[in-house]
Amino acid sequence: MRQLIAGNWKMNGLTESIVEIALMSRTLTTKPAHCDVLICPPATLISHAVQSGAPGVAIGAQDCHPEPSGAFTGDLSAEMLRDCGATAVIVGHSERRQYHGETDALVAAKASAAWRAGLTAIICVGETLLEREAGQAKIICKRQLTGSVPRGATTTNTIIAYEPIWAIGTGKTPTNEEISDMHAHIRICLGSRIRILYGGSVKPSNAREILSLPNVGGALVGGASLNASEFTTIVEFSQPSS
Ligand code: PEP
């Protein structure tokens, strides 16, 4: 299966940032990637990014509400995201779990909403540093997978992102052995070929190694996805199949 390199812009980017997506697309047009490429800008930029037309770069969202519509001020439904051209949505990112108190059950409801709207759900799991140091990382990820991945997950409607919380935005990454070990564990828990992305401080200097590890189906990239040149360098390191 093709790897996926996905960028999560978080709460970064104004209209002028669309140029980065255009630059990514231009690079990928001259040097086609052998992986799928997705950028998840803030919701305010989804329509703009889609309408600007960037061949080779799909556009996704960072969160959705479980309901299709209703009295939920400030929220966006999966149907709305699909309507403005998104093809995928990240759910259960650790920043949502931490700052918005999102539970596994809510994340599962959001993933189901994504499927209902025809979006691919990118479901995030990952342990804290304390949990890793206590030897609980696998138990925590298994529990998150059990609670956050609804029945009916397939290789086309779902992607898992393993993101150790202590590696996000910190410049720290697990060892290759730790990544391989956790991805193998997640593969067993899932019992299917659903793609498993690694996320947490992926950058041009470590992407080649990480993307060549077994069971790594791509990367979810935060900081380094804001810059077209860094992001396309990571894309170049993707492996033809995983
Ligand atoms: C993320 O937020 O999903 C992420 C992986 O961030 P960073 O690459 O900046 O660590």
Side-chain angles (χ1 to χ4, degrees):
M1 192 177 301
R2 275 160 77 87
Q3 290 193 326
L4 166 69
I5 308 298
N8 172 15
W9 279 12
K10 312 192 187 194
M11 198 173 72
N12 296 294
L14 299 173
T15 307
E16 66 207 20
S17 317
I18 295 292
V19 72
E20 295 300 324
I21 299 178
L23 286 170
M24 291 170 191
S25 174
R26 199 174 307 159
T27 305
L28 295 173
T29 309
T30 48
K31 231 193 254 180
H34 37 235
C35 64
D36 297 325
V37 177
L38 174 78
I39 290 288
C40 301
T44 48
L45 293 180
I46 294 174
S47 269
H48 195 141
V50 170
Q51 280 161 23
S52 310
V57 183
I59 302 298
Q62 300 174 16
D63 182 45
C64 66
H65 192 279
E67 295 298 326
S69 61
F72 302 104
T73 303
D75 281 316
L76 295 171
S77 70
E79 282 76 2
M80 291 168 175
L81 300 170
R82 171 80 190 206
D83 183 50
C84 59
T87 56
V89 59
I90 299 168
V91 294
H93 189 281
S94 61
E95 287 152 13
R96 300 287 318 173
R97 292 178 186 261
Q98 187 180 350
Y99 304 134
H100 297 265
E102 295 197 1
T103 60
D104 287 334
L106 179 59
V107 175
K110 290 181 175 200
S112 295
W115 300 348
R116 182 189 65 221
L119 301 177
T120 300
I122 302 176
I123 306 174
C124 303
V125 298
E127 81 285 356
T128 64
L129 188 55
L130 272 182
E131 288 161 348
R132 175 156 285 271
E133 285 174 350
Q136 300 288 301
K138 286 187 181 169
I139 293 169
I140 295 295
C141 288
K142 183 172 187 180
R143 189 187 304 153
Q144 289 176 341
L145 288 168
T146 306
S148 311
V149 182
R151 252 171 227 266
T154 67
T155 52
T156 47
N157 67 17
T158 301
I159 292 166
I160 303 298
Y162 167 58
E163 300 206 303
I165 296 170
W166 50 276
I168 296 178
T170 59
K172 293 182 195 150
T173 49
T175 63
N176 291 344
E177 291 68 33
E178 285 168 334
I179 296 174
S180 297
D181 198 31
M182 184 59 90
H183 279 239
H185 175 66
I186 294 174
R187 170 76 56 237
I188 291 166
C189 294
L190 292 171
S192 84
R193 296 197 63 240
I194 287 173
R195 279 188 279 194
I196 308 165
L197 312 183
Y198 167 77
S201 296
V202 174
K203 40 190 186 264
S205 59
N206 60 19
R208 187 198 297 270
E209 262 188 285
I210 292 173
L211 291 170
S212 56
L213 296 172
N215 288 310
V216 171
L220 181 53
V221 184
S225 70
L226 293 167
N227 175 280
S229 146
E230 284 191 43
F231 188 69
T232 49
T233 304
I234 293 170
V235 168
E236 275 177 38
F237 291 138
S238 65
Q239 303 295 305
S241 63
S242 61

PDB file of all heavy atoms in Angstrom, residues 4 11 41 63 65 79 87 89 93 100 109 111 128 134 150 153-154 160 184 192 209 215 218-219 238:
ATOM      1  N   LEU A   4       1.431   7.417   3.145  1.00  0.00           N
ATOM      2  CA  LEU A   4       0.775   8.728   3.152  1.00  0.00           C
ATOM      3  C   LEU A   4       1.646   9.685   3.962  1.00  0.00           C
ATOM      4  O   LEU A   4       2.034   9.363   5.095  1.00  0.00           O
ATOM      5  CB  LEU A   4      -0.616   8.642   3.817  1.00  0.00           C
ATOM      6  CG  LEU A   4      -1.245   9.994   4.173  1.00  0.00           C
ATOM      7  CD1 LEU A   4      -1.644  10.775   2.911  1.00  0.00           C
ATOM      8  CD2 LEU A   4      -2.473   9.808   5.066  1.00  0.00           C
ATOM      9  N   MET A  11      -3.177  25.348  14.460  1.00  0.00           N
ATOM     10  CA  MET A  11      -3.769  26.701  14.367  1.00  0.00           C
ATOM     11  C   MET A  11      -2.731  27.667  13.791  1.00  0.00           C
ATOM     12  O   MET A  11      -2.346  28.653  14.421  1.00  0.00           O
ATOM     13  CB  MET A  11      -4.264  27.168  15.743  1.00  0.00           C
ATOM     14  CG  MET A  11      -5.250  28.325  15.658  1.00  0.00           C
ATOM     15  SD  MET A  11      -5.977  28.743  17.250  1.00  0.00           S
ATOM     16  CE  MET A  11      -4.610  29.514  18.103  1.00  0.00           C
ATOM     17  N   PRO A  41      -4.940  22.037   6.644  1.00  0.00           N
ATOM     18  CA  PRO A  41      -4.772  23.404   7.135  1.00  0.00           C
ATOM     19  C   PRO A  41      -5.881  23.710   8.135  1.00  0.00           C
ATOM     20  O   PRO A  41      -6.794  22.895   8.304  1.00  0.00           O
ATOM     21  CB  PRO A  41      -4.947  24.240   5.851  1.00  0.00           C
ATOM     22  CG  PRO A  41      -5.893  23.447   5.013  1.00  0.00           C
ATOM     23  CD  PRO A  41      -5.686  21.983   5.374  1.00  0.00           C
ATOM     24  N   ASP A  63     -10.388  18.299  12.632  1.00  0.00           N
ATOM     25  CA  ASP A  63     -11.354  17.869  13.640  1.00  0.00           C
ATOM     26  C   ASP A  63     -12.749  17.974  13.033  1.00  0.00           C
ATOM     27  O   ASP A  63     -12.935  18.682  12.043  1.00  0.00           O
ATOM     28  CB  ASP A  63     -11.266  18.790  14.876  1.00  0.00           C
ATOM     29  CG  ASP A  63     -12.233  18.356  15.981  1.00  0.00           C
ATOM     30  OD1 ASP A  63     -12.306  17.147  16.263  1.00  0.00           O
ATOM     31  OD2 ASP A  63     -12.926  19.241  16.533  1.00  0.00           O
ATOM     32  N   HIS A  65     -17.245  17.605  14.287  1.00  0.00           N
ATOM     33  CA  HIS A  65     -18.251  17.297  15.311  1.00  0.00           C
ATOM     34  C   HIS A  65     -18.926  15.989  14.921  1.00  0.00           C
ATOM     35  O   HIS A  65     -19.039  15.690  13.731  1.00  0.00           O
ATOM     36  CB  HIS A  65     -19.271  18.445  15.370  1.00  0.00           C
ATOM     37  CG  HIS A  65     -20.173  18.365  16.562  1.00  0.00           C
ATOM     38  ND1 HIS A  65     -21.280  17.546  16.596  1.00  0.00           N
ATOM     39  CD2 HIS A  65     -20.114  18.987  17.761  1.00  0.00           C
ATOM     40  CE1 HIS A  65     -21.869  17.668  17.783  1.00  0.00           C
ATOM     41  NE2 HIS A  65     -21.176  18.537  18.511  1.00  0.00           N
ATOM     42  N   GLU A  79     -19.819  16.678   7.300  1.00  0.00           N
ATOM     43  CA  GLU A  79     -20.472  16.994   6.033  1.00  0.00           C
ATOM     44  C   GLU A  79     -20.037  18.377   5.526  1.00  0.00           C
ATOM     45  O   GLU A  79     -19.855  18.583   4.327  1.00  0.00           O
ATOM     46  CB  GLU A  79     -22.007  16.968   6.204  1.00  0.00           C
ATOM     47  CG  GLU A  79     -22.619  15.580   6.233  1.00  0.00           C
ATOM     48  CD  GLU A  79     -22.417  14.821   7.542  1.00  0.00           C
ATOM     49  OE1 GLU A  79     -21.820  15.377   8.497  1.00  0.00           O
ATOM     50  OE2 GLU A  79     -22.861  13.659   7.619  1.00  0.00           O
ATOM     51  N   THR A  87     -11.046  15.745   2.043  1.00  0.00           N
ATOM     52  CA  THR A  87     -11.222  14.315   1.755  1.00  0.00           C
ATOM     53  C   THR A  87     -10.929  13.459   2.993  1.00  0.00           C
ATOM     54  O   THR A  87     -11.199  12.263   2.996  1.00  0.00           O
ATOM     55  CB  THR A  87     -10.283  13.868   0.615  1.00  0.00           C
ATOM     56  OG1 THR A  87      -8.936  14.199   0.984  1.00  0.00           O
ATOM     57  CG2 THR A  87     -10.641  14.548  -0.696  1.00  0.00           C
ATOM     58  N   VAL A  89     -10.163  13.686   7.606  1.00  0.00           N
ATOM     59  CA  VAL A  89     -10.175  14.518   8.810  1.00  0.00           C
ATOM     60  C   VAL A  89      -9.404  13.799   9.924  1.00  0.00           C
ATOM     61  O   VAL A  89      -9.537  12.587  10.097  1.00  0.00           O
ATOM     62  CB  VAL A  89     -11.624  14.869   9.245  1.00  0.00           C
ATOM     63  CG1 VAL A  89     -12.466  13.640   9.536  1.00  0.00           C
ATOM     64  CG2 VAL A  89     -11.629  15.791  10.476  1.00  0.00           C
ATOM     65  N   HIS A  93      -6.627  13.893  17.898  1.00  0.00           N
ATOM     66  CA  HIS A  93      -5.242  14.363  18.075  1.00  0.00           C
ATOM     67  C   HIS A  93      -5.021  14.608  19.570  1.00  0.00           C
ATOM     68  O   HIS A  93      -5.936  15.044  20.278  1.00  0.00           O
ATOM     69  CB  HIS A  93      -5.022  15.652  17.279  1.00  0.00           C
ATOM     70  CG  HIS A  93      -3.583  16.061  17.234  1.00  0.00           C
ATOM     71  ND1 HIS A  93      -2.966  16.692  18.277  1.00  0.00           N
ATOM     72  CD2 HIS A  93      -2.630  15.900  16.283  1.00  0.00           C
ATOM     73  CE1 HIS A  93      -1.688  16.908  17.970  1.00  0.00           C
ATOM     74  NE2 HIS A  93      -1.461  16.435  16.763  1.00  0.00           N
ATOM     75  N   HIS A 100      -9.222  19.737  25.066  1.00  0.00           N
ATOM     76  CA  HIS A 100     -10.682  19.769  24.913  1.00  0.00           C
ATOM     77  C   HIS A 100     -11.335  18.577  25.603  1.00  0.00           C
ATOM     78  O   HIS A 100     -12.515  18.330  25.406  1.00  0.00           O
ATOM     79  CB  HIS A 100     -11.065  19.815  23.427  1.00  0.00           C
ATOM     80  CG  HIS A 100     -10.571  21.057  22.736  1.00  0.00           C
ATOM     81  ND1 HIS A 100     -11.345  22.181  22.568  1.00  0.00           N
ATOM     82  CD2 HIS A 100      -9.356  21.361  22.223  1.00  0.00           C
ATOM     83  CE1 HIS A 100     -10.630  23.125  21.950  1.00  0.00           C
ATOM     84  NE2 HIS A 100      -9.418  22.645  21.732  1.00  0.00           N
ATOM     85  N   ALA A 109     -16.979   8.497  17.885  1.00  0.00           N
ATOM     86  CA  ALA A 109     -18.167   9.111  17.267  1.00  0.00           C
ATOM     87  C   ALA A 109     -17.754  10.048  16.132  1.00  0.00           C
ATOM     88  O   ALA A 109     -18.420  10.126  15.096  1.00  0.00           O
ATOM     89  CB  ALA A 109     -18.970   9.872  18.327  1.00  0.00           C
ATOM     90  N   ALA A 111     -15.027   9.692  14.309  1.00  0.00           N
ATOM     91  CA  ALA A 111     -14.557   8.843  13.194  1.00  0.00           C
ATOM     92  C   ALA A 111     -15.763   8.319  12.406  1.00  0.00           C
ATOM     93  O   ALA A 111     -15.758   8.323  11.169  1.00  0.00           O
ATOM     94  CB  ALA A 111     -13.706   7.696  13.730  1.00  0.00           C
ATOM     95  N   THR A 128       1.751   9.261  26.889  1.00  0.00           N
ATOM     96  CA  THR A 128       2.541  10.347  27.485  1.00  0.00           C
ATOM     97  C   THR A 128       3.914   9.790  27.890  1.00  0.00           C
ATOM     98  O   THR A 128       4.122   8.565  27.916  1.00  0.00           O
ATOM     99  CB  THR A 128       1.868  10.905  28.753  1.00  0.00           C
ATOM    100  OG1 THR A 128       1.826   9.846  29.730  1.00  0.00           O
ATOM    101  CG2 THR A 128       0.450  11.396  28.490  1.00  0.00           C
ATOM    102  N   ALA A 134       6.581   4.275  32.591  1.00  0.00           N
ATOM    103  CA  ALA A 134       5.985   3.268  33.481  1.00  0.00           C
ATOM    104  C   ALA A 134       5.782   1.933  32.755  1.00  0.00           C
ATOM    105  O   ALA A 134       5.167   1.013  33.313  1.00  0.00           O
ATOM    106  CB  ALA A 134       4.660   3.793  34.021  1.00  0.00           C
ATOM    107  N   PRO A 150     -14.007   2.792  15.570  1.00  0.00           N
ATOM    108  CA  PRO A 150     -15.309   2.118  15.518  1.00  0.00           C
ATOM    109  C   PRO A 150     -15.239   0.821  14.708  1.00  0.00           C
ATOM    110  O   PRO A 150     -14.341   0.650  13.885  1.00  0.00           O
ATOM    111  CB  PRO A 150     -16.205   3.137  14.790  1.00  0.00           C
ATOM    112  CG  PRO A 150     -15.438   4.404  14.705  1.00  0.00           C
ATOM    113  CD  PRO A 150     -13.994   4.050  14.810  1.00  0.00           C
ATOM    114  N   ALA A 153     -13.992  -0.249  10.546  1.00  0.00           N
ATOM    115  CA  ALA A 153     -12.809   0.433  10.012  1.00  0.00           C
ATOM    116  C   ALA A 153     -12.189  -0.424   8.911  1.00  0.00           C
ATOM    117  O   ALA A 153     -12.028  -1.640   9.071  1.00  0.00           O
ATOM    118  CB  ALA A 153     -11.798   0.665  11.129  1.00  0.00           C
ATOM    119  N   THR A 154     -11.852   0.222   7.789  1.00  0.00           N
ATOM    120  CA  THR A 154     -11.228  -0.489   6.669  1.00  0.00           C
ATOM    121  C   THR A 154      -9.989   0.266   6.216  1.00  0.00           C
ATOM    122  O   THR A 154      -9.738   1.388   6.663  1.00  0.00           O
ATOM    123  CB  THR A 154     -12.188  -0.558   5.459  1.00  0.00           C
ATOM    124  OG1 THR A 154     -12.362   0.789   4.965  1.00  0.00           O
ATOM    125  CG2 THR A 154     -13.544  -1.138   5.813  1.00  0.00           C
ATOM    126  N   ILE A 160      -4.541   5.113  10.972  1.00  0.00           N
ATOM    127  CA  ILE A 160      -4.165   5.343  12.381  1.00  0.00           C
ATOM    128  C   ILE A 160      -2.880   6.164  12.398  1.00  0.00           C
ATOM    129  O   ILE A 160      -1.983   5.933  11.589  1.00  0.00           O
ATOM    130  CB  ILE A 160      -3.922   3.997  13.112  1.00  0.00           C
ATOM    131  CG1 ILE A 160      -5.159   3.089  13.040  1.00  0.00           C
ATOM    132  CG2 ILE A 160      -3.481   4.232  14.557  1.00  0.00           C
ATOM    133  CD1 ILE A 160      -6.410   3.636  13.695  1.00  0.00           C
ATOM    134  N   ALA A 184       4.255  -2.533  15.240  1.00  0.00           N
ATOM    135  CA  ALA A 184       3.931  -3.965  15.144  1.00  0.00           C
ATOM    136  C   ALA A 184       2.784  -4.287  16.109  1.00  0.00           C
ATOM    137  O   ALA A 184       1.852  -5.031  15.781  1.00  0.00           O
ATOM    138  CB  ALA A 184       5.167  -4.796  15.479  1.00  0.00           C
ATOM    139  N   SER A 192      -5.542  -5.802  10.769  1.00  0.00           N
ATOM    140  CA  SER A 192      -5.796  -5.529   9.352  1.00  0.00           C
ATOM    141  C   SER A 192      -4.637  -4.714   8.795  1.00  0.00           C
ATOM    142  O   SER A 192      -3.722  -4.330   9.523  1.00  0.00           O
ATOM    143  CB  SER A 192      -7.094  -4.756   9.168  1.00  0.00           C
ATOM    144  OG  SER A 192      -6.864  -3.378   9.344  1.00  0.00           O
ATOM    145  N   GLU A 209      14.873   7.415   7.661  1.00  0.00           N
ATOM    146  CA  GLU A 209      14.966   6.243   8.554  1.00  0.00           C
ATOM    147  C   GLU A 209      13.586   5.793   9.029  1.00  0.00           C
ATOM    148  O   GLU A 209      13.249   4.609   8.988  1.00  0.00           O
ATOM    149  CB  GLU A 209      15.766   6.628   9.804  1.00  0.00           C
ATOM    150  CG  GLU A 209      17.207   6.232   9.758  1.00  0.00           C
ATOM    151  CD  GLU A 209      17.837   6.472  11.115  1.00  0.00           C
ATOM    152  OE1 GLU A 209      18.096   7.639  11.438  1.00  0.00           O
ATOM    153  OE2 GLU A 209      18.046   5.489  11.830  1.00  0.00           O
ATOM    154  N   ASN A 215       5.988  -1.659   8.958  1.00  0.00           N
ATOM    155  CA  ASN A 215       4.666  -1.250   9.465  1.00  0.00           C
ATOM    156  C   ASN A 215       4.478   0.264   9.575  1.00  0.00           C
ATOM    157  O   ASN A 215       3.477   0.716  10.135  1.00  0.00           O
ATOM    158  CB  ASN A 215       4.354  -1.887  10.832  1.00  0.00           C
ATOM    159  CG  ASN A 215       4.067  -3.360  10.703  1.00  0.00           C
ATOM    160  OD1 ASN A 215       3.258  -3.761   9.873  1.00  0.00           O
ATOM    161  ND2 ASN A 215       4.748  -4.172  11.511  1.00  0.00           N
ATOM    162  N   GLY A 218       3.581   5.730   6.671  1.00  0.00           N
ATOM    163  CA  GLY A 218       3.696   7.144   6.332  1.00  0.00           C
ATOM    164  C   GLY A 218       3.923   7.960   7.585  1.00  0.00           C
ATOM    165  O   GLY A 218       4.285   7.409   8.639  1.00  0.00           O
ATOM    166  N   ALA A 219       3.717   9.268   7.466  1.00  0.00           N
ATOM    167  CA  ALA A 219       3.986  10.151   8.607  1.00  0.00           C
ATOM    168  C   ALA A 219       2.917  11.224   8.719  1.00  0.00           C
ATOM    169  O   ALA A 219       2.350  11.661   7.720  1.00  0.00           O
ATOM    170  CB  ALA A 219       5.352  10.811   8.433  1.00  0.00           C
ATOM    171  N   SER A 238       9.620   9.066   1.232  1.00  0.00           N
ATOM    172  CA  SER A 238       8.599   8.014   1.400  1.00  0.00           C
ATOM    173  C   SER A 238       9.015   6.774   0.618  1.00  0.00           C
ATOM    174  O   SER A 238       9.743   6.872  -0.377  1.00  0.00           O
ATOM    175  CB  SER A 238       7.236   8.522   0.935  1.00  0.00           C
ATOM    176  OG  SER A 238       7.292   8.775  -0.448  1.00  0.00           O
TER     177      SER A 238
END
